[in-house]
Amino acid sequence: MAFTLPALPYAFDALEPHIDALTMQIHHGKHHAAYVNNLNNALAGKPEENQSLDEIVRNISKLPMAVRNNGGGHWNHSMFWTLLSPNGGQASDDLTDAIHAAFGSVDTFKEQFNNAGATRFGSGWAWLIVNADKKLAICSTPNQDNPLMDIAEVKGTPILGLDVWEHAYYLKYQNRRPDYIQAFWNIINWNEVNRLFSEATK
Ligand code: MN3
């Protein structure tokens, strides 16, 4: 088996009250685990079995839909867990400057990001990316697609992402996706976002 489920870098209840422990248990232990299993099954016997997940995702147009959905699911969730933390610090000066340059203010940035998550119809993700011009941009993707994929409408390197599938919030927030999105701002691991930002802008 090529790919394995990464351990959560904190306890299931670490993000309470913003994300509840049961949601984290099911989201990580059932949903993410299923993406990993289904990805391994979809790749079995294929030459891509030995490629990195990044490589697979970047060339996703050449692969079957099961690899797109489950490879995207594995990539997206593996990143998502590291973007959350009960004590994730704050945005660096460099990142804050880039946010001002791209969006005018931190408030406008948040508003646009929230809007990308709230208006994604059905299931998907909202993203903050560094694009080819090394500038910040906000976008959203359907299902388990992401901005690294060669089929993405808006391409770039994700440095922040939010899962807006109902499985990410329904137990606690039911239909109130905007409340879940608001709560997300309390548990962002800015230390990791800062690191991804400096990697992507090198
Ligand atoms: Mn999910």
Side-chain angles (χ1 to χ4, degrees), residues 34-109:
Y35 296 126
V36 173
N37 283 335
N38 293 337
L39 174 63
N40 286 332
N41 290 336
L43 286 174
K46 288 199 162 54
E48 288 81 9
E49 209 173 9
N50 297 313
Q51 289 184 351
S52 72
L53 188 55
D54 262 50
E55 239 178 311
I56 289 171
V57 162
R58 287 175 193 276
N59 298 291
I60 207 71
S61 64
K62 300 184 188 77
L63 291 159
M65 191 54 86
V67 176
R68 177 168 160 184
N69 289 336
N70 294 290
H74 182 32
W75 196 99
N76 295 346
H77 288 84
S78 297
M79 181 191 193
F80 186 52
W81 309 133
T82 70
L83 295 173
L84 303 175
S85 170
N87 46 12
Q90 53 193 9
S92 65
D93 290 347
D94 285 352
L95 177 56
T96 305
D97 288 348
I99 287 172
H100 280 115
F103 308 107
S105 72
V106 173
D107 284 348
T108 307
F109 155 62

Side-chain angles (χ1 to χ4, degrees), residues 27 31-32 35 73 77 80-81 124-125 144 163-165 167-168:
H27 199 176
H31 290 280
H32 188 175
Y35 296 126
H77 288 84
F80 186 52
W81 309 133
W125 292 73
Q144 295 296 354
D163 187 344
V164 295
W165 282 58
H167 69 221

